[in-house]
Amino acid sequence: MTFDRRLALLAPLAAISLAGCGINSVPTAEENAKAKWADVENYYQRRADLIPNLVATVKAAGAQEKDILVQVTQARASASQVKVSGADLTDPAKVQAYEQAQAGVTLSLQRLQEAYPELKSQANYATLMDQLEGSENRISTARRDYNGAVQAYNTTIRTFPDAIGAKIFYGAKPMVPFKATTPGAEAAPKVDFN
C-alpha cells in the first residue's frame, strides 16, 4: 500500500475515533447545562420583579376598599348619633341635621355601589397566590432541569470514550449541581403586606 492510500484510510478512522472521544458531545452537554442555568436565573429574576409589583397592586386595591368601607362605617355611625324625637320635628335645624346625617350614609353607600365592580382585593390576593405558586413551580422545574443537564455533562466527561476528549481538548471539570445552601432556602419567600 502506498503512503497516500494509507493516509486516505487513516483519515476517516481518525475522524471516527475523535468523534468517539467527546469532540462534539462535551461542548454540547456543557452548553446545554449553561442554558439550563440561565433558565434558573431567569425565573429567579422573574420572581424578584413580579412579586413586589403584585404585592403593591394588592396593597393599593386593599387600601382603596378599606377607605370606602371606613367611609360607610363612619357615615353610619354619625347617622346613628343624630336622633330626632317626635318633639324635635318642629325644630328645622334638628330635622336638617338628621337629613344630612342620613344623606352622608346614602352618599357613602352610593360610592360603595359605584366602586363595587372595582373591588378586587380578594381576586388580587388569589392572583398573587397563583403567581407565587407559579413562580415557585417554574423555579423548581428550572433547577431540576439544570441538575439533569449537569448530571448529563458530568457523566459525559467522566465516561469512556468522551472522557479522553474532555480532558485532552477541553480540560473539562465537573459542574456543580444546584442545591439550597442558604438557611431557610427550602421555604418560599414570605409576603408581607405591612
Side-chain angles (χ1 to χ4, degrees):
M1 258 191 192
T2 66
F3 178 73
D4 289 339
R5 200 154 216 240
R6 279 188 272 173
L7 188 60
L9 291 174
L10 190 59
L13 183 60
I16 291 171
S17 61
L18 282 176
C21 291
I23 236 27
N24 291 323
S25 59
V26 171
T28 301
E30 181 181 25
E31 290 304 315
N32 184 46
K34 287 179 181 178
K36 297 299 183 186
W37 179 251
D39 289 343
V40 171
E41 291 179 319
N42 177 45
Y43 287 125
Y44 275 127
Q45 186 63 50
R46 178 187 183 276
R47 179 177 70 181
D49 293 343
L50 180 68
I51 290 174
N53 292 329
L54 285 173
V55 169
T57 300
V58 170
K59 276 181 161 180
Q64 175 194 1
E65 291 177 25
K66 180 181 176 186
D67 185 46
I68 292 169
L69 294 175
V70 165
Q71 289 175 12
V72 170
T73 303
Q74 288 174 344
R76 186 182 84 36
S78 295
S80 65
Q81 290 178 358
V82 177
K83 306 250 188 244
V84 175
S85 67
D88 296 328
L89 293 175
T90 58
D91 185 351
K94 287 186 178 182
V95 171
Q96 184 179 12
Y98 183 79
E99 286 176 4
Q100 285 177 342
Q102 295 304 320
V105 173
T106 301
L107 183 61
S108 294
L109 289 174
Q110 285 173 344
R111 284 188 191 136
L112 179 62
Q113 287 174 337
E114 290 169 3
Y116 183 74
E118 298 299 317
L119 299 180
K120 298 179 181 176
S121 67
Q122 188 167 352
N124 286 339
Y125 282 104
T127 299
L128 174 63
M129 295 309 295
D130 288 344
Q131 290 295 326
L132 290 174
E133 180 182 7
S135 290
E136 294 308 310
N137 288 340
R138 285 180 182 92
I139 290 168
S140 176
T141 299
R143 289 188 303 218
R144 184 191 66 227
D145 291 349
Y146 167 73
N147 284 346
V150 166
Q151 180 184 10
Y153 171 77
N154 289 346
T155 301
T156 298
I157 67 169
R158 293 180 64 212
T159 56
F160 183 80
D162 294 337
I164 297 168
K167 297 271 187 219
I168 293 173
F169 295 108
Y170 301 110
K173 295 180 181 168
M175 290 184 166
V176 179
F178 180 88
K179 55 183 163 185
T181 56
T182 307
E186 66 280 356
K190 292 185 180 185
V191 176
D192 185 5
F193 290 103
N194 293 326

